[in-house]
Amino acid sequence: MARKTKAEAEVTRQVILDAAEKVFITKGVARSSLEEIARTAKVTRGAIYWHFCNKSDLFDAMLDRVRLPISALIDPTANAQTGELQALRNLCVYALRMLVEDQRYFRVYSILFHHTESERGLKKLAEMAEESINLMTRIFENHPPHPSLTPRQAARSLHTQVLGIYFDWLRNPRAYDLAQESEILIDTLFRGICPDSQSFLPAKDSQ
């Protein structure tokens, strides 16, 4: 019975998170209320407080359902000359394709980039950026970027350019086929940042 109760509680938690996505993407995070999320989820407000301390806690849990575990996906002990770079490149491509192929991923990152006016949302963006830049800096320390760039500058450059693709495509998903163009977009970035470490990239079109 205890296991069943725990399972039912988890179902309710997921229903609340699904409802939060719907409300946040419609009204924005700052203008959304727990009351409205409760109505959308068809639960009591007390049920929300059973699972989440407040709206910020709910927002964090919603984001955690889709956040890519960057440090887990890139092996820092890779021995191959371009092993870490290959993993980083593949992760960047995967992240772009997920925007197209996973509706939850699309909704949550749409909220994060275009429907978050709250201080909490902006703080989460800053935290995620710092985590990504720190990890990529360590990778570029092992695999030196273009001579004009320090490892941290290379990391910041890659991060901001990928971020720009996220922001632009989420603003108008019909503008182009991101899934189809993800590899060429990411490979172009890597060619500029790491011109001497490209054994993992496909050859450029001779035309």
Side-chain angles (χ1 to χ4, degrees), residues 4 15 27 29 42 72 92 121 136 170 185 190-191 196:
K4 182 178 180 181
V15 167
K27 300 192 67 174
V29 176
K42 298 180 179 179
C92 290
M136 290 190 291
L170 286 169
L185 291 172
F190 272 85
R191 286 192 179 98
D196 296 329

Side-chain angles (χ1 to χ4, degrees), residues 9-45:
E10 180 59 25
V11 169
T12 300
R13 185 177 186 273
Q14 296 303 318
V15 167
I16 293 170
L17 289 169
D18 289 342
E21 287 181 14
K22 295 176 183 177
V23 175
F24 288 159
I25 203 167
T26 301
K27 300 192 67 174
V29 176
R31 293 188 295 273
S32 298
S33 67
L34 292 179
E35 291 86 349
E36 186 168 4
I37 293 170
R39 287 196 301 271
T40 302
K42 298 180 179 179
V43 300
T44 65
R45 197 174 162 189

Side-chain angles (χ1 to χ4, degrees), residues 66 68 91-110 165-183 185:
V66 299
L68 291 173
L91 179 59
C92 290
V93 172
Y94 174 76
L96 294 186
R97 287 178 172 168
M98 284 289 286
L99 286 179
V100 183
E101 298 169 358
D102 188 303
Q103 283 300 304
R104 174 173 291 165
Y105 196 90
F106 172 85
R107 286 194 302 270
V108 172
Y109 278 92
S110 292
I165 296 172
Y166 262 61
F167 186 90
D168 181 66
W169 188 81
L170 286 169
R171 179 180 54 82
N172 183 14
R174 294 185 178 87
Y176 59 96
D177 187 340
L178 182 60
Q180 183 177 0
E181 296 188 22
S182 58
E183 287 198 67
L185 291 172

Side-chain angles (χ1 to χ4, degrees), residues 120-138:
R120 180 64 177 176
L122 297 175
K123 182 179 179 182
K124 291 301 292 185
L125 275 171
E127 290 174 356
M128 292 167 64
E130 189 66 15
E131 177 187 5
S132 297
I133 290 171
N134 286 341
L135 176 66
M136 290 190 291
T137 296
R138 292 194 293 272

Side-chain angles (χ1 to χ4, degrees), residues 1 8 16 20 31 35 49 56 66-67 69 73 83 85 101 108-109 117 125 143 158 194:
M1 182 64 68
E8 289 175 345
I16 293 170
R31 293 188 295 273
E35 291 86 349
Y49 281 116
S56 294
V66 299
R67 286 186 67 178
L73 292 173
L85 287 179
E101 298 169 358
V108 172
Y109 278 92
E117 315 87 347
L125 275 171
H143 309 284
L158 180 59
C194 294

